Structure formats: structure tokens, C-alpha cells
């Protein structure tokens, strides 16, 4: 793979309920033009084993080392937690938000796992409450 192709290769999988993953990746694309850094996986109509198989194929196809999910106790997260037991070097970040994905998408020079951890901190910091 050329250096330019590697720079634009899928760096992470986003998995979640319904069209969550597609929607949040669409927002990253609209804001940064870097939605191609991600692939979306939906759990719609899938049991836990099917989600795990789908994620395994996505990891194998993309060689991604980062998986983002929507809910800490959701089915996608449970499937990823099963997967990471046998895949050292793959990290799961759950409870994600758009700020986190934007930060991750904009990190070109970082190792994807290190970038995910840095993005996690920025994603957490982006949540604030205003008013009563």
C-alpha cells in the first residue's frame, strides 16, 4: 500500500444501534471530508454472534485496530469485548460522541490506538452542561 493510500485507509470501525454509525460518520464527512477513515456497522437485525462475525470480517478486511461503539452495555460493545480477548492491539472505545470522532479523524501522524486514546480525552472534555 502506498503512503498516500495508507493515509486515507480505514482507520477505525464505528458500530452501533440502527443508523447511529452511518449518521455520525456522515457528520464527520460533512465537517472534515474524512469520513473515509471509518466504516459503519449496524446491529440492526443481528444477534450477538452475527455482530461479532460482522466485526471480525470488518477487522480482517480493513486491518483497523480501533473500534468505536455507541453504548457501553450495548450488543456491539459486548461483541467487541469478546473479539478483543483474541486480538491484542485492538482497542474498543465506547460511549462515543461526534467530538471524539472528529478529533480521531484529524490525527494523521498518530498510531491509531494512541489517536483513539487522545480523542477519548477530548471527547470527554467536549461534554458540558449549560443552565440549570
Amino acid at each position: 500500500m502506498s503512503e498516500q493510500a495508507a493515509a486515507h485507509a480505514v482507520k477505525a470501525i464505528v458500530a452501533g444501534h440502527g443508523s447511529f454509525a452511518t449518521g455520525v460518520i456522515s457528520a464527520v464527512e460533512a465537517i472534515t471530508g474524512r469520513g473515509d477513515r471509518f466504516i459503519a456497522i449496524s446491529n440492526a437485525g443481528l444477534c450477538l454472534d452475527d455482530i461479532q462475525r460482522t466485526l471480525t470480517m470488518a477487522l480482517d478486511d480493513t486491518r483497523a485496530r480501533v473500534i468505536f461503539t455507541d453504548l457501553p452495555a450495548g450488543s456491539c460493545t459486548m461483541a467487541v469485548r469478546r473479539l478483543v480477548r483474541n486480538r491484542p492491539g485492538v482497542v474498543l472505545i465506547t460511549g462515543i460522541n461526534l467530538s471524539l470522532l472528529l478529533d480521531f479523524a484529524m490525527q494523521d501522524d498518530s498510531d491509531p490506538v494512541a489517536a483513539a486514546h487522545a480523542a477519548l480525552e477530548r471527547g470527554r472534555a467536549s461534554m458540558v452542561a449549560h443552565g440549570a
Side-chain angles (χ1 to χ4, degrees), residues 34-90:
R34 293 178 174 216
D36 61 347
R37 306 296 202 271
F38 306 95
I39 62 163
I41 303 290
S42 173
N43 68 350
L46 303 177
C47 68
L48 190 59
D49 288 338
D50 292 340
I51 297 166
Q52 187 172 345
R53 263 191 299 280
T54 301
L55 288 164
T56 297
M57 289 188 303
L59 283 171
D60 292 344
D61 290 347
T62 64
R63 298 184 182 167
R65 294 179 29 227
V66 177
I67 303 175
F68 296 109
T69 64
D70 56 355
L71 290 174
S75 57
C76 291
T77 299
M78 288 188 284
V80 176
R81 290 183 67 185
R82 284 182 177 178
L83 277 173
V84 297
R85 290 180 196 148
N86 299 316
R87 293 207 180 224
V90 173

Side-chain angles (χ1 to χ4, degrees), residues 1 3-12 36-38 62:
M1 180 182 296
E3 188 174 316
Q4 185 177 22
H8 295 296
V10 169
K11 296 184 188 277
D36 61 347
R37 306 296 202 271
F38 306 95
T62 64

